[in-house]
């Protein structure tokens, strides 16, 4: 039975960036929002690399740079191709005034965002799992928790990558193992001075590493390093289909990365103070579910809104949450909570960078799945082999070295193999830039 005390304007499920942005947007417009989070506090269950992006955070919290618990301002981005025991590293360093992202610890940052939301009137119910959605006349009218039922005009789902709730109402299908990555991460306590010395940073400047190859050679997976104030986060993500039935354990791959001669000096002597694992939706545009139905909208990871090419997820979550909140407000003003009104949420996302970017990379994962051994093994090995050859001084004339390198490459990959790789890249670039 619907109890008036348990009836609110909007219920948001999940206290990650998507849920908090949605709830605060509703509260700022003068409506009541209840946010239900299963963790002991928002952020307590959340795992990421990670960097948050200032542009999207500012859209919800314009002054966050002076009040949020930030670790470091990322000024350098390094791309490292790890070989057996060598590596090629490309580095891009920004002028600190142009930095666009900060490293944060989600336990602290999400909690801070939730605190701001609470101050602005959002009712936050913690340590409560939403078990099911309440459906009446094919419309979503509330949620069931372990303790009680809550009713509302609109429910916004921001319950993360697994979103059992979106599945329960047929908006989403089960994620296939190739469309999701399992990620493991360690936080390694290290003195601030050591971090600055090892990563060549000043004060609170930060550095990001993207790691290719190494123990993941030939598999669809990447590693990462982020610097925090007094710790280093290191981890990797690998698509689940790469692990299925292989006996490969992601933490063993991570251990090998940590032992690599390029990486081990960066974390030497540090103490592992946190270990976590989480899934990342990787399906992109082609695997996005329907984003709305009567009385309900799906946001953030629950809607597969992750741009895995650029390691962006929190920004897509924040902006989708904001759009869902705005659409809920429009629906409340019109007193129309039908799919017809909530479709506006989908339209806003399609006009923004969120779906435009996912569309741009819509073919990326197909190409990567088709060519993973070639791109993630053969070519990575060749890049390191090229620099090994280029820097060698062994009495062999350079022309001979070049010729041998090219001849070996053609022999290994084959003329038709090279043509097929080139064609795959041309098609991918075409779909990214043109159509
Ligand atoms: C290892 C890793 C590294 C990443 N690195 C980055 C990065 O550097 N930068 C970046 O922008 N993105 C990164 N991402 C992606 C980013 O973390 C996600 O895209 C983002 O957190 C999605 O936000 P969300 O609010 O949709 O979901 P989440 O942050 O997952 O929040 C979902 C919330 O819902 C709660 N919940 C779930 N089910 C229920 C339920 N039934 N009842 C109540 N509460 C529930 C959970 O406890 C959680 O608090 C990374 C992800 C991983 C796993």
């Amino acid at each position: 039975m619907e109890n008036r005390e348990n009836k609110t304007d909007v219920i948001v499920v999940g206290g990650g960036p998507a849920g908090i942005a949605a709830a605060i947007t509703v509260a700022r417009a003068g409506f009541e929002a209840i946010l239900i989070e299963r963790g002991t506090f928002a952020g307590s269950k959340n795992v990421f690399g990670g960097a948050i992006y200032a542009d999207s955070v500012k859209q919800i919290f314009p002054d966050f740079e002076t009040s949020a618990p930030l670790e470091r301002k990322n000024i350098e981005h390094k791309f490292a191709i790890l070989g057996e025991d060598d590596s090629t590293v490309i580095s891009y360093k920004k002028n600190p005034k142009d930095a666009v992202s900060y490293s944060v610890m989600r336990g602290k940052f999400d909690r801070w965002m939730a605190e701001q939301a609470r101050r602005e009137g959002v009712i936050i119910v913690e340590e409560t799992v939403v078990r099911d959605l309440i459906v009446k006349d094919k419309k979503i009218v509330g949620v069931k928790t372990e303790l009680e039922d809550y009713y509302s005009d609109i429910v916004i789902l921001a319950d993360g990558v697994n979103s059992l709730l979106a599945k329960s109402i047929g908006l989403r299908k089960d994620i296939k193992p190739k469309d999701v990555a399992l990620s493991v991460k360690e936080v390694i306590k290290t003195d601030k001075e050591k971090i600055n010395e090892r990563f060549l940073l000043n004060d609170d400047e930060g550095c990001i590493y993207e790691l290719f190859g190494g123990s993941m050679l030939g598999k669809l997976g990447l590693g990462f390093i982020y610097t925090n104030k007094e710790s280093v986060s290191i981890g990797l993500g690998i698509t689940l289909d790469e692990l299925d039935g292989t006996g490969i354990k992601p933490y063993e791959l991570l251990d090998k990365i940590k032992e690599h001669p390029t990486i081990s000096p960066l974390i030497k002597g540090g103490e592992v103070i946190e270990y976590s694992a989480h899934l990342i939706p990787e399906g992109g545009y082609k695997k996005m579910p329907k984003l709305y139905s009567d009385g309900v909208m799906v946001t953030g990871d629950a809607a597969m809104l992750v741009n895995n090419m650029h390691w962006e997820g929190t920004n897509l979550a924040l902006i989708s949450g904001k759009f869902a909140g705005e659409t809920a407000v429009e629906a409340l003003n019109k007193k129309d909570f039908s799919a017809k009104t909530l479709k506006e949420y989908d339209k806003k996302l399609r006009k923004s960078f969120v779906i435009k970017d996912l569309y741009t990379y819509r073919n990326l994962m197909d190409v990567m799945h088709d060519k993973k051994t070639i791109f993630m093994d053969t070519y990575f090995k060749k890049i390191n082999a090229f620099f090994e050859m280029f820097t060698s001084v062994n009495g062999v004339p350079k022309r001979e070295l070049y010729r041998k390198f090219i001849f070996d490459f053609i022999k290994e990959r084959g003329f038709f193999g090279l043509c097929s790789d080139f064609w795959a890249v041309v098609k991918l670039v075409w779909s990214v830039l043109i159509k």
Side-chain angles (χ1 to χ4, degrees), residues 31-260:
F31 290 101
E32 191 177 79
I34 296 186
L35 185 151
I36 305 176
E37 164 57 42
R38 67 180 172 177
T40 42
F41 56 88
S44 61
K45 294 218 174 249
N46 295 345
V47 175
F48 89 147
I52 50 124
Y53 301 95
D55 176 70
S56 52
V57 183
K58 269 188 197 158
Q59 293 198 36
I60 315 294
F61 303 107
D63 302 324
F64 84 97
E65 279 161 312
T66 51
S67 51
L70 305 172
E71 296 288 320
R72 288 171 181 262
K73 195 180 212 178
N74 295 313
I75 58 146
E76 188 158 20
H77 209 122
K78 289 179 185 253
F79 304 84
I81 297 171
L82 306 177
E84 240 345 75
D85 52 10
D86 58 352
S87 65
T88 303
V89 184
I90 299 170
S91 179
Y92 171 69
K93 195 163 190 167
K94 279 184 189 295
N95 182 328
K97 74 173 173 41
D98 298 327
V100 297
S101 76
Y102 291 90
S103 57
V104 302
M105 306 303 268
R106 291 286 297 275
K108 290 184 193 162
F109 187 72
D110 288 14
R111 196 175 198 172
W112 174 85
M113 287 196 292
E115 201 40 55
Q116 310 313 301
R118 207 191 298 267
R119 279 195 201 149
E120 297 202 38
V122 175
I123 300 165
I124 301 185
V125 180
E126 285 155 343
E127 290 189 86
T128 304
V129 180
V130 172
R131 295 279 178 212
D132 223 335
L133 295 172
I134 304 172
V135 186
K136 197 175 161 191
D137 302 330
K138 296 191 180 160
K139 294 189 182 108
I140 308 305
V141 294
V143 301
K144 282 183 185 297
T145 73
E146 298 123 317
L147 299 177
E148 52 192 322
D149 297 348
Y150 292 83
Y151 289 84
S152 63
D153 294 317
I154 294 175
V155 175
I156 297 176
L157 299 180
D159 51 338
V161 54
N162 284 319
S163 194
L164 300 175
L165 299 170
K167 253 187 259 173
S168 74
I169 50 167
L171 285 182
R172 240 181 80 166
K173 297 190 181 121
D174 278 332
I175 311 184
K176 296 208 172 96
K178 73 194 237 308
D179 296 327
V180 65
L182 175 63
S183 180
V184 291
K185 171 188 163 185
E186 288 180 3
V187 178
I188 300 177
K189 192 168 168 38
T190 314
D191 291 345
K192 183 175 178 172
E193 293 68 37
K194 273 195 187 145
I195 295 176
N196 289 356
E197 238 171 63
R198 292 171 180 181
F199 290 84
L200 306 176
L201 300 167
N202 295 309
D203 305 322
D204 284 336
E205 290 171 354
C207 170
I208 300 171
Y209 268 84
E210 291 193 29
L211 307 173
F212 307 89
S215 59
M216 290 173 299
L217 261 188
K219 298 180 194 71
L220 211 45
L222 297 177
F224 57 81
I225 299 178
Y226 290 87
T227 52
N228 306 310
K229 269 201 172 90
E230 300 207 323
S231 64
V232 174
S233 300
I234 180 164
L236 61 86
I238 184 158
T239 52
L240 273 183
D241 64 334
E242 294 283 9
L243 302 171
D244 261 2
T246 58
I248 297 172
K249 297 186 178 67
Y251 59 86
E252 287 175 358
L253 301 181
L254 181 57
D255 280 346
K256 284 202 188 127
I257 288 187
K258 285 166 61 186
E259 286 159 14
H260 192 280

Side-chain angles (χ1 to χ4, degrees), residues 136-423:
K136 197 175 161 191
D137 302 330
K138 296 191 180 160
K139 294 189 182 108
I140 308 305
V141 294
V143 301
K144 282 183 185 297
T145 73
E146 298 123 317
L147 299 177
E148 52 192 322
D149 297 348
Y150 292 83
Y151 289 84
S152 63
D153 294 317
I154 294 175
V155 175
I156 297 176
L157 299 180
D159 51 338
V161 54
N162 284 319
S163 194
L164 300 175
L165 299 170
K167 253 187 259 173
S168 74
I169 50 167
L171 285 182
R172 240 181 80 166
K173 297 190 181 121
D174 278 332
I175 311 184
K176 296 208 172 96
K178 73 194 237 308
D179 296 327
V180 65
L182 175 63
S183 180
V184 291
K185 171 188 163 185
E186 288 180 3
V187 178
I188 300 177
K189 192 168 168 38
T190 314
D191 291 345
K192 183 175 178 172
E193 293 68 37
K194 273 195 187 145
I195 295 176
N196 289 356
E197 238 171 63
R198 292 171 180 181
F199 290 84
L200 306 176
L201 300 167
N202 295 309
D203 305 322
D204 284 336
E205 290 171 354
C207 170
I208 300 171
Y209 268 84
E210 291 193 29
L211 307 173
F212 307 89
S215 59
M216 290 173 299
L217 261 188
K219 298 180 194 71
L220 211 45
L222 297 177
F224 57 81
I225 299 178
Y226 290 87
T227 52
N228 306 310
K229 269 201 172 90
E230 300 207 323
S231 64
V232 174
S233 300
I234 180 164
L236 61 86
I238 184 158
T239 52
L240 273 183
D241 64 334
E242 294 283 9
L243 302 171
D244 261 2
T246 58
I248 297 172
K249 297 186 178 67
Y251 59 86
E252 287 175 358
L253 301 181
L254 181 57
D255 280 346
K256 284 202 188 127
I257 288 187
K258 285 166 61 186
E259 286 159 14
H260 192 280
T262 303
I263 305 303
S264 59
L266 301 173
I267 51 172
K268 196 171 145 201
E271 182 201 349
V272 178
I273 51 168
E274 207 181 295
Y275 183 86
S276 51
H278 206 278
L279 296 174
I280 311 177
E282 302 249 296
Y285 181 81
K286 291 182 181 171
K287 299 298 157 75
M288 247 171 43
K290 186 164 180 237
L291 300 171
Y292 62 94
S293 183
D294 289 317
V296 66
M297 288 175 273
V298 193
T299 61
D301 276 14
M304 290 274 213
L305 302 178
V306 168
N307 179 343
N308 54 8
M309 178 74 181
H310 293 270
W311 295 21
E312 296 177 23
T314 53
N315 50 339
L316 281 70
L318 283 163
I319 299 305
S320 64
K322 177 178 168 239
F323 287 162
E326 287 172 2
T327 309
V329 169
E330 286 155 24
L332 286 159
N333 283 327
K334 277 167 65 180
K335 295 199 178 13
D336 175 356
F337 315 109
S338 65
K340 207 172 139 218
T341 302
L342 302 188
K343 189 172 195 286
E344 196 51 38
Y345 165 58
D346 186 281
K347 283 192 194 153
K348 284 175 196 269
L349 277 176
R350 280 178 202 279
K351 273 191 225 146
S352 76
F353 78 93
V354 175
I355 292 191
K356 283 187 177 164
D357 284 352
L358 295 186
Y359 182 77
T360 295
Y361 293 116
R362 68 199 175 283
N363 294 328
L364 176 71
M365 288 313 276
D366 292 342
V367 174
M368 291 315 288
H369 278 286
D370 277 358
K371 294 267 181 192
K372 65 186 170 205
T373 323
I374 311 302
F375 288 155
M376 308 295 274
D377 186 17
T378 313
Y379 282 96
F380 285 161
K381 278 187 183 150
K382 278 296 159 202
I383 290 170
N384 281 329
F386 173 82
F387 284 105
E388 188 189 11
M389 180 269 298
F390 191 81
T391 54
S392 63
V393 181
N394 51 13
V396 181
K398 302 300 180 203
R399 180 180 287 174
E400 273 178 43
L401 287 176
Y402 284 130
R403 283 183 174 172
K404 183 173 178 340
F405 178 83
I406 293 168
F407 182 73
D408 285 352
F409 194 10
I410 295 174
K411 203 167 132 198
E412 187 184 335
R413 188 63 199 110
F415 176 72
F416 291 110
L418 285 172
C419 291
S420 133
D421 301 346
F422 179 71
W423 182 234

